[in-house]
Amino acid sequence: MFGDMMAKLKEAQEKVEATKKRLDTVLIDEKSSDDLLKITLTANREIKKIEIDDSLLKDKEQLEDYLVVHLNKAIKKATQVNEAEIGAVAKEGMPNIPGMDMFK
């Protein structure tokens, strides 16, 4: 019985790691409502691209504000995708251990 549980835990861990690798290919896009700033990052929260309209380069404070707001939005979206995917895989692969229902 213990060997079965360990095998299932190892399999779940492998699936989680494979999902993490796959999430490197899932892209999340965020842009400002006026299209002056566009950000792309992976579901693992790695920034891939930032596009800044030239008009934002004239106002340092506005650019900084845009970056903070939209990077945080993009990171929040990526985190939601990441946690949902990892959580689903982890829950699916967990053996049924009495008292260990932490993924419900």
Side-chain angles (χ1 to χ4, degrees):
M1 179 173 173
F2 184 71
D4 263 356
M5 271 194 278
M6 291 307 293
K8 286 184 179 186
L9 286 172
K10 183 174 172 38
E11 183 181 328
Q13 183 179 14
E14 289 169 356
K15 285 182 180 182
V16 166
E17 290 304 315
T19 300
K20 286 179 182 178
K21 285 182 183 176
R22 184 179 59 77
L23 290 174
D24 279 334
T25 66
V26 175
L27 299 179
I28 308 296
D29 294 312
E30 176 63 35
K31 66 180 184 171
S32 61
S33 59
D34 55 11
D35 286 338
L36 297 180
L37 178 70
K38 297 176 185 173
I39 299 168
T40 302
L41 67 158
T42 70
N44 282 328
R45 298 170 296 273
E46 180 182 337
I47 297 170
K48 289 297 190 181
K49 182 167 60 169
I50 297 176
E51 296 177 40
I52 302 170
D53 188 89
D54 289 342
S55 65
L56 281 176
L57 299 177
K58 298 172 188 162
D59 185 343
K60 181 179 182 271
E61 190 174 315
Q62 183 183 14
L63 174 56
E64 290 170 346
D65 290 345
Y66 268 56
L67 284 169
V68 168
V69 167
H70 295 291
L71 279 167
N72 282 329
K73 284 183 179 181
I75 290 168
K76 184 176 179 179
K77 285 182 184 177
T79 298
Q80 289 170 341
V81 170
N82 184 290
E83 289 176 353
E85 292 286 325
I86 299 293
V89 170
K91 182 179 178 182
E92 169 190 310
M94 289 297 290
N96 188 13
I97 304 170
M100 297 291 289
D101 53 355
M102 61 188 154
F103 290 108
K104 285 189 177 182

